Amino acid sequence: MDYCSTRDSEKSVTAAEAILQGISEEGGLIVPTKLPAISSQELLQFANLNYIQRAHRILSLFLTDFTDEELNSCILQAYSNSFEGNMPAPLTSLSDGRYLLELWHGPTAAFKDLALQLLPHLLTTSSKKIHSNSNIVILTATSGDTGKAALSGFAKIPGIELFVFYPEGGVSEIQRKQMVTQPGENVHVTAVNGNFDQAQTAVKQLFTDWKVRRTLKETGFVFSSANSINLGRLLPQIVYYFSAYSDLLAADEITLGEPIHVTVPTGNFGNILAAYYAKQMGLPIQRLICASNVNHILTDFIKTGVYDRNRPFYRSSSPSMDILVSSNLERFLYHLEEDPEEITDFYQKFAETGRFLLPQRLVNKMSDIFFAGYCNEEETSAAIQNLFQTTGYLCDPHTAVALSVEEQYRTQIGDKTKNIIVSTASPFKFPATVLSDLGMERPNNEFEAIKQLSTISGTIPPPSILALQHLPERFLDVIPISEMEQYLFQELKI
Ligand SMILES: *Cc1c(COP(=O)(O)O)cnc(C)c1O
């Protein structure tokens, strides 16, 4: 399997090289040149396999430069002990042919665990394969979920140092606690004085600063990336779409070949891109429903072909989807025509003006594949409340956005095709918000909110979240954005 850059299709790299580099040198993203296929016969056989076996089969098609033993060892370390009941991606059936794909049974209670429990092992294996002796330095700016999922995956992995920068006052109390209580000598967490965009920009500057890179190189370090521009984050996400379809087959909920829809609450476009890959590989997905919150730049883009970031940015109750630049969209646009010059052109315009325009033929292609919709804050609350009142099931605000948009789709299109709705976080990660959406008074303390939420729903909070209350806080630094470089060198002792 070959990989190339979205902005230079001549450039060919192996999976191991792609995973280690994170991003391509000329600014593009790394994509597979050709997607492998899974036959319907094989899909049928999947029904008898467990998640680990399914992951092995799918990933072996992409990581062709990994040996069977290498891949096996990575997958076992990621999925054999870290997920509740050893079920990383279980389905819950709702009424009307809707199923929730619960991707929050991992150590940090959000879907990013599915990729970030595996990525560290893919990275260290890739590094060994390329005979790199360097230690890997990962820099992450986070608005909440990515930071903890990366910490949990990378802590105590030899040969990797992880840095997490979060905006002071910009993450929820649970998210902050999750990060500052993380054990492990190879993890470094600090708050920065600034917002998420400033932290993210500073991380990108450090990442591309040749002087910083040279200093690192001279002292035996090399940068890589843990966010969803890394191919190693994208590939593990393809697995759960195949797994969900096989589970429905095994439960006789669908017949082999029956088309389904998939609804994804979307931010950086990584999760829904993985669903698109699954579709292109032969999984019978008919429509991809792209659900956005009040920051609905993707809805507008899919409907009109105009991507325009010159608009207000809102803080919503689904913060992991508060994004104006969806990085992985570039990969999807590349696959439409595989024309790197066109992509370079779009993104050059975007860098200059914050806006680019898709030709009508591409808008048409896109609307054959996607339905896009968004919901506002009231509709998000209403979706949480409705689901709880009619079924007793508690969902988090990100999942609620997906439910609300799926409902719009069914009402508008009148389509009864079965639908897998991706549930991306545990409601106990956003307890005060969920509680107030249910019409209860919002307590000051998030742990009090967890207790109340548990009582009214009769569900047990994830033990990892309950335990946070009593863990010591290890990381108390708050630094100015301008001192991030100094902090990096100081922590690496160089
Ligand atoms: C990251 C995240 C999303 C958005 O996923 P993308 O792959 O960025 O589109 C949605 N929900 C939750 C809870 C997340 O953490």
Side-chain angles (χ1 to χ4, degrees):
M1 166 72 69
D2 264 345
Y3 295 86
C4 70
S5 160
T6 49
R7 301 193 200 174
D8 179 1
S9 51
E10 299 295 300
K11 180 179 171 149
S12 160
V13 293
T14 64
E17 286 165 343
I19 290 167
L20 202 58
Q21 277 172 23
I23 191 163
S24 193
E25 278 147 20
E26 72 310 312
L29 301 184
I30 296 167
V31 287
T33 48
K34 186 170 179 294
L35 287 169
I38 293 275
S39 68
S40 58
Q41 223 33 49
E42 191 161 2
L43 207 47
L44 196 58
Q45 288 160 10
F46 271 17
N48 302 316
L49 305 182
N50 63 28
Y51 195 84
I52 286 178
Q53 294 165 320
R54 291 169 184 169
H56 192 280
R57 175 64 189 141
I58 301 286
L59 292 171
S60 69
L61 298 171
F62 287 94
L63 304 173
T64 45
D65 49 339
F66 283 50
T67 65
D68 250 9
E69 291 81 57
E70 284 169 341
L71 187 54
N72 231 351
S73 152
C74 291
I75 290 174
L76 282 175
Q77 290 180 79
Y79 299 123
S80 65
N81 279 314
S82 315
F83 290 81
E84 265 172 74
N86 285 335
M87 305 249 290
L91 283 168
T92 291
S93 177
L94 300 176
S95 55
D96 305 324
R98 296 172 304 157
Y99 305 88
L100 282 174
L101 177 57
E102 296 178 349
L103 299 180
W104 40 261
H105 294 283
T108 79
F111 95 96
K112 293 184 172 69
D113 285 332
L114 276 288
L116 279 163
Q117 287 296 307
L118 182 59
L119 179 65
H121 307 292
L122 297 180
L123 256 174
T124 46
T125 309
S126 299
S127 175
K128 270 188 216 132
K129 297 183 78 64
I130 314 182
H131 306 296
S132 160
N133 299 317
S134 304
N135 289 308
I136 300 167
V137 177
I138 307 257
L139 303 181
T140 323
T142 183
S143 58
D145 287 338
T146 302
K148 179 59 181 185
L151 285 164
S152 166
F154 283 100
K156 303 178 188 170
I157 303 274
I160 300 189
E161 298 289 327
L162 173 69
F163 288 80
V164 173
F165 302 96
Y166 72 89
E168 160 87 339
V171 300
S172 81
E173 178 56 12
I174 299 285
Q175 289 172 323
R176 189 191 68 83
K177 276 261 183 202
Q178 280 188 310
M179 293 190 277
V180 302
T181 57
Q182 175 66 46
E185 289 312 306
N186 66 330
V187 298
H188 314 271
V189 181
T190 181
V192 295
N193 266 325
N195 63 27
F196 170 69
D197 278 331
Q198 291 167 320
Q200 168 105 314
T201 306
V203 160
K204 280 188 190 150
Q205 272 162 6
L206 275 178
F207 195 80
T208 49
D209 185 325
W210 66 270
K211 273 197 243 150
V212 174
R213 283 186 170 254
R214 191 180 59 191
T215 310
L216 288 186
K217 198 167 170 201
E218 285 166 2
T219 43
F221 292 101
V222 61
F223 275 140
S224 184
S225 153
N227 62 34
S228 66
I229 56 173
N230 192 320
L231 182 77
R233 277 244 344 233
L234 193 56
L235 301 181
Q237 299 182 348
I238 300 170
V239 176
Y240 47 74
Y241 292 106
F242 279 96
S243 183
Y245 194 92
S246 321
D247 282 344
L248 290 180
L249 274 178
D252 281 330
E253 296 278 328
I254 54 173
T255 54
L256 185 62
E258 181 175 336
I260 52 156
H261 299 321
V262 170
T263 305
V264 187
T266 301
N268 224 350
F269 213 75
N271 203 355
I272 198 164
L273 181 72
Y276 172 72
Y277 279 7
K279 174 177 163 64
Q280 297 306 96
M281 291 167 69
L283 193 67
I285 296 176
Q286 193 174 74
R287 267 277 160 86
L288 294 165
I289 299 174
C290 177
S292 301
N293 65 21
V294 283
N295 294 295
H296 49 81
I297 191 164
L298 283 168
T299 316
D300 298 348
F301 177 64
I302 291 170
K303 291 199 163 144
T304 65
V306 182
Y307 197 94
D308 190 352
R309 68 166 299 183
N310 305 304
R311 60 173 71 210
F313 172 85
Y314 301 103
R315 274 178 189 278
S316 78
S317 58
S318 44
S320 301
M321 298 159 68
D322 291 341
I323 283 183
L324 292 184
V325 183
S326 294
S327 328
N328 279 294
L329 184 63
E330 176 166 346
R331 285 190 162 110
F332 171 74
L333 294 176
Y334 175 80
H335 290 300
L336 282 179
E337 294 199 321
E338 300 186 356
D339 179 353
E341 277 169 31
E342 187 172 49
I343 300 297
T344 308
D345 194 38
F346 290 157
Y347 281 92
Q348 210 154 18
K349 285 210 184 76
F350 186 60
E352 285 158 15
T353 64
R355 184 175 189 278
F356 68 88
L357 179 71
L358 222 55
Q360 190 58 41
R361 64 171 196 288
L362 293 188
V363 181
N364 297 346
K365 273 193 190 177
M366 205 161 52
S367 56
D368 286 344
I369 301 166
F370 292 103
F371 172 88
Y374 71 93
C375 70
N376 63 27
E377 291 291 276
E378 289 74 47
E379 290 164 324
T380 309
S381 300
I384 292 179
Q385 201 166 32
N386 274 344
L387 187 65
F388 185 66
Q389 281 169 357
T390 53
T391 66
Y393 186 99
L394 267 188
C395 76
D396 97 290
H398 303 78
T399 309
V401 169
L403 281 162
S404 178
V405 171
E406 193 275 337
E407 171 117 27
Q408 282 175 28
Y409 176 78
R410 251 182 316 135
T411 321
Q412 275 179 35
I413 313 286
D415 177 351
K416 296 210 169 67
T417 306
K418 298 194 174 94
N419 203 316
I420 293 176
I421 299 160
V422 181
S423 176
T424 48
S426 157
F428 289 102
K429 261 196 124 160
F430 308 91
T433 306
V434 173
L435 207 57
S436 74
D437 287 339
L438 294 177
M440 318 273 291
E441 199 160 321
R442 195 181 176 121
N444 290 331
N445 178 324
E446 294 261 349
F447 292 100
E448 182 52 38
I450 289 178
K451 220 157 80 192
Q452 291 184 24
L453 209 51
S454 175
T455 308
I456 62 163
S457 66
T459 46
I460 300 164
S464 63
I465 289 186
L466 276 182
L468 291 173
Q469 244 181 124
H470 309 292
L471 292 178
E473 297 194 1
R474 293 180 65 202
F475 299 102
L476 304 171
D477 291 337
V478 184
I479 61 170
I481 297 257
S482 57
E483 283 172 22
M484 281 165 59
E485 178 178 326
Q486 199 183 332
Y487 176 82
L488 172 75
F489 289 150
Q490 195 180 314
E491 292 285 308
L492 292 176
K493 304 188 177 66
I494 55 178

